[in-house]
Amino acid sequence: MDLATVIGIVLSFGLVVSAILSGSSLIIFISVPSFLIVIGGTLGAAMVNYPMGYVIGVIGVIKNTFFSNLESPVNIIEQFKDYANRARREGILSLEPLIKEIDDEYMRKGLQLTVDGLEPQTIQEILETEVSYLSERHATGADVVAVLGTLAPAMGMIGTVVGLVQMLQTMSDPSSIGPAMAVALLTTLYGAILSNLVFNPMAGKLKARSKEETLLREMIMEGILSISKGENPRIIEEKLNSFLPPKDRVSSD
């Protein structure tokens, strides 16, 4: 669970709700027509902009802002130190029994290619292709969420225009002015909240998470290539440490 995402959402929505409750009731800020205009319009416009599968898949994409299953870089370095030492002592084939125990599919695939005896250049090409398409998929997911953040306030403005038109057409009936004005203002509020407190921050988190995972994949690829070349475990450790900030680097025993 990503605590930063949870704390950020609770904090931002909590402060907004607290500000509302300090001056009035929360009920007056609830409008079903406004909600339908913003949510329905945003999703509908997103479906026009992207294929259906992309929009449906955004649920899983948003889930990635709350949950992170990335392996610790320090643990990865320790793993490769162990693999490199084992490969030097017992040969590269000694890694084959360990492959099934690896949870990370990318690392498992790379080590399997190494054990199968492929040339380092071929392994690198395969793994680089994996990283390239991973980055592309992540970028698409973040773009869909960012588009939702762009569309939400636009739908809010549409709702505002609808409410104003309704209000102007019923100026002779004072009792109808209030509800129409509420729709006009609340749609703008809903759109602004969804855009600035939900979709745009989540798109930023997804882009940052994608960079982290790409860097992790590049670290794993460097370790696999070093093992396939039979490099010294100490050299492998130094190479992988170069991916980390100085304060996080693994020190040799």
Side-chain angles (χ1 to χ4, degrees):
M1 176 72 73
D2 188 282
L3 290 179
T5 301
V6 175
I7 293 173
I9 289 179
V10 171
L11 181 63
S12 57
F13 275 92
L15 291 176
V16 171
V17 172
S18 298
I20 292 173
L21 293 176
S22 66
S24 62
S25 171
L26 187 63
I27 296 177
I28 66 173
F29 284 85
I30 298 175
S31 170
V32 174
S34 298
F35 182 82
L36 292 177
I37 289 173
V38 174
I39 297 297
T42 300
L43 292 178
M47 290 180 185
V48 175
N49 195 75
Y50 287 101
M52 178 72 74
Y54 285 34
V55 179
I56 295 176
V58 79
I59 298 175
V61 171
I62 290 177
K63 184 182 68 174
N64 291 333
T65 64
F66 291 93
F67 300 97
S68 175
N69 57 356
L70 297 181
E71 182 72 30
S72 167
V74 174
N75 291 342
I76 290 176
I77 293 177
E78 294 294 340
Q79 279 183 277
F80 274 108
K81 285 172 60 179
D82 178 62
Y83 296 154
N85 283 318
R86 184 184 293 264
R88 283 176 67 88
R89 291 195 311 265
E90 305 172 24
I92 196 68
L93 292 178
S94 65
L95 300 179
E96 189 164 18
L98 304 177
I99 293 177
K100 296 180 181 179
E101 302 174 3
I102 299 175
D103 294 328
D104 188 283
E105 183 179 350
Y106 183 80
M107 183 187 294
R108 187 166 62 245
K109 180 176 182 177
L111 286 177
Q112 185 63 61
L113 294 174
T114 302
V115 170
D116 290 343
L118 272 70
E119 292 293 326
Q121 183 176 354
T122 304
I123 297 174
Q124 182 175 359
E125 291 173 355
I126 294 173
L127 296 182
E128 284 180 345
T129 302
E130 289 268 357
V131 172
S132 176
Y133 279 101
L134 174 75
S135 300
E136 187 174 332
R137 290 194 301 271
H138 286 182
T140 300
D143 287 345
V144 173
V145 178
V147 165
L148 292 175
T150 301
L151 292 173
M155 292 302 109
M157 290 301 298
I158 291 176
T160 297
V161 173
V162 170
L164 291 176
V165 170
Q166 291 175 340
M167 183 186 69
L168 293 174
Q169 288 184 338
T170 57
M171 290 293 288
S172 59
D173 182 7
S175 65
S176 65
I177 295 177
M181 179 60 74
V183 172
L185 297 179
L186 287 177
T187 48
T188 298
L189 176 64
Y190 290 171
I193 288 177
L194 285 176
S195 175
N196 296 293
L197 298 186
V198 180
F199 293 135
N200 285 337
M202 284 185 173
K205 175 60 70 69
L206 289 170
K207 291 177 182 178
R209 189 68 52 74
S210 176
K211 290 180 180 179
E212 291 177 5
E213 187 165 355
T214 298
L215 182 63
L216 210 60
R217 293 286 180 265
E218 290 176 351
M219 176 189 290
I220 291 172
M221 178 170 59
E222 185 63 44
I224 290 170
L225 293 176
S226 297
I227 289 177
S228 69
K229 295 174 184 176
E231 293 182 353
N232 187 289
R234 182 74 176 84
I235 301 300
I236 295 176
E237 179 185 350
E238 289 299 325
K239 282 186 174 182
L240 299 186
N241 267 329
S242 65
F243 286 87
L244 304 179
K247 63 184 181 65
D248 295 333
R249 292 177 180 177
V250 177
S251 59
S252 299
D253 297 331

